[in-house]
Amino acid sequence: MKPFFRAAAIGLIALVLPSCSIMDPDDRQALRDRLAGMMPEDIFQLRKGAMNGRGILYFKERPSNDKVGKLYCREYVEGQWQDWKGDKEWRVDDVLDCLRNDPFNVSYLDCKDQFLSTETTLKKGDIMAQQTPGKDVECRFEFDWRYEPDILPEELWKAESISFDEMIDFLVSLPAPPPGFIAPELAPLLCPLGAGPGWGCPSDPYTETDPPEGGG
């Protein structure tokens, strides 16, 4: 894992207790207003980043070998579809690998879709390599009941559940802006809320303007 992503993953620990997160000075309202005025697609991207972070935190606490879901596939042979067969399990470690390999950009459900698409493409490639006329394959994914989206916290899979305050807390928890950050103008507004030097903020924003000791 790249150093920035490793540091970002550590920084995401700050999101574990969102209800007891960063203090709420008057500056926070200005940032809420700024976020509310952004383009919908940009707001969605920031929410996606927060969902990614929440997902990492959630699945880090689950047993690494837990089955999250399973791929089922069936082949089309001699003019008819065969029975569905369980093919490959998707485990907690696989979810974490996906979330960490594309940080800030993918959610839990995005990772599921990627798994299904990748595995289906591989199997279709195998069919083509066999050069058997009229043969095909299709796959579907089934969640383990414990990991059905409706059972999990909404912030893992439902973008609309991420509030502006949760987006703010997510950004402040990061050691620096994520690569390709869509709103660099937000950085100065994050400084009073506790964003670190990686954002271009002073290490102690509350004492930066204090006069030198001994008077001035």
Side-chain angles (χ1 to χ4, degrees), residues 5 18 23-24 33 36 50 58 84 87 110 143 155 167 169 194 216:
F5 295 153
M23 60 183 295
D24 194 6
D33 294 340
Y58 180 85
W84 290 99
D87 187 86
D110 292 329
F143 286 103
E155 60 264 25
M167 293 160 61
D169 290 350

Side-chain angles (χ1 to χ4, degrees), residues 89-120:
E89 291 186 351
W90 195 48
R91 299 183 178 273
V92 165
D93 273 351
D94 299 319
V95 180
L96 284 171
D97 283 345
C98 174
L99 293 170
R100 287 167 170 161
N101 285 339
D102 195 5
F104 320 112
N105 291 317
V106 295
S107 67
Y108 173 53
L109 293 185
D110 292 329
C111 286
K112 182 270 292 182
D113 290 342
Q114 287 183 17
F115 172 73
L116 174 58
S117 175
T118 298
E119 293 299 323
T120 301

Side-chain angles (χ1 to χ4, degrees), residues 6-59:
R6 185 181 300 110
I10 294 171
L12 288 170
I13 298 300
L15 293 174
V16 174
L17 297 175
S19 61
C20 303
S21 57
I22 303 158
M23 60 183 295
D24 194 6
D26 293 340
D27 308 81
R28 181 174 281 249
Q29 186 57 49
L31 190 47
R32 292 189 192 105
D33 294 340
R34 176 66 184 83
L35 288 168
M38 294 177 67
M39 296 292 290
E41 57 267 28
D42 292 339
I43 295 175
F44 177 77
Q45 188 60 45
L46 291 176
R47 283 180 166 145
K48 183 68 73 70
M51 292 165 69
N52 178 278
R54 299 281 181 148
I56 291 173
L57 288 174
Y58 180 85
F59 283 100

Side-chain angles (χ1 to χ4, degrees), residues 124-153:
K124 284 184 175 291
D126 291 340
I127 293 293
M128 292 180 63
Q130 296 171 17
Q131 296 183 343
T132 303
K135 191 174 182 181
D136 200 359
V137 65
E138 66 177 3
C139 300
R140 59 182 172 83
F141 181 87
E142 288 187 7
F143 286 103
D144 182 279
W145 69 269
R146 298 167 300 165
Y147 293 98
E148 286 280 358
D150 289 349
I151 293 176
L152 300 182

Side-chain angles (χ1 to χ4, degrees), residues 167-210:
M167 293 160 61
I168 292 168
D169 290 350
F170 165 70
L171 292 173
V172 172
S173 74
L174 299 177
F181 185 50
I182 59 175
E185 70 276 9
L186 296 182
L189 296 174
L190 293 168
C191 291
L193 301 176
W199 286 90
C201 302
S203 56
D204 188 350
Y206 301 103
T207 61
E208 183 193 32
T209 57
D210 289 352

